[in-house]
Amino acid sequence: MLEHLDRLSPDPILGLMAAFRADTDPRKVDLGVGVYRDDRGDTPIMQAVREAEREVLERQTTKTYVAPAGNPAFNDAIGQLVLGDGHAALAGRLRAVQAPGGCGALRLGAELIRTAVPDAVVHVSTPTWANHVPLLSNCGLKLERYPYFDATTGGVAFEAMMGALDALPARSVVLLHASCHNPTGADLEDGQWREVLSVMRRRSLLPFIDIAYQGLGRGLAEDAFAARLMCAELPEALVAVSSSKNFGLYRERVGALLTLSETGAAADAALSQLVRIARGLYSMPPDHGAAIVARILGSGLRGQWEQELASMRERIAQLRAETVRALAGTCARRDFSHIVRQRGMFSYLGIDKETVHRLREQHHVYMTDDSRINIAGLRHENIPYFAEAVARAVG
Ligand code: LMR
């Protein structure tokens, strides 16, 4: 039965991670997979996470099942973290379901849309995170694209984006990156989000907001601006949340899907559907990481976590500035200043695929073929090597 299966090439991001691990050159630089790294190149466990984990293990008395919707304390806390305390939606129209990572949340959202409107079309930005495509379309939803990135300015092609959204049929779904756009690093300003809100309202579009980097761009509240605005002003919204990056809990697979419905009864119906969908996909999400997040957000550890997150955010901003300075020194004929104007982990370097491959093969610098670099993969010490390697590869 299985003999006719085609062998697939590795995933563009995870395949790169494996290739980097296999490279034995001591100068190697990993700018591929989106994980935060410190000055030593390690992806550390946050102190608040270590402490919460200890407390969770000490207090845990059983390993019995939790529930398809996950840990209620986590679900409440994550809704509050994203929307902010006292947000009107928390009073009755919002529901949260714990999911196996932001990926699981995206898939739950896609399945819910497919259940509600089987022929719904989801519109994603050009470009978007590579894994959005299978996560959203494997359940049968149709995907279309809207313009987003302007390679000449390194910013958002806002007019083109608005023009495309304004032409969508009612009840289209629009996947929006809340902040720290993956892969470009180019985000909308708050005023632009307000304009997006008007078009969503005018055209009766459903926002499906992906928030995977809250706290790593401008700040916890600032990075959630779009989610807070849409959930305050629109009747319905979906928000896929990841705790991988801002809690550093990548391998624990912690995320949540938030649903905003027009009434409390509709919200309960959506939740019941999500519970059924989760049961049919994986039954229940893993508990450990969500228990840690719930502990941090519900205890005195929250302040410490916020401080650690702030220093990660500041470090990324410093690395951006340092990288642009170094590249200006080695590649004077090219302009990389967009990198310092962008936020979060990613930016495009703006080089072609052949140059990306030369960087990998000749200089052991790893990035995805579209030249997305994970800024947090750079270190003060290896920025000069990186800038020199780029200059040589560019020629
Ligand atoms: C990334 O974009 O590199 C991360 O979100 C990790 C992943 O799963 O692709």
Side-chain angles (χ1 to χ4, degrees), residues 1-7:
M1 256 173 93
L2 308 181
E3 70 270 23
H4 302 301
L5 287 174
D6 290 333
R7 185 181 173 143

Side-chain angles (χ1 to χ4, degrees), residues 13-14 32-34 129 182 213 245 346 372:
I13 296 176
L14 304 185
V33 67
W129 178 44
N182 182 3
Y213 298 89
K245 329 277 169 168
F346 306 115
R372 185 193 80 167

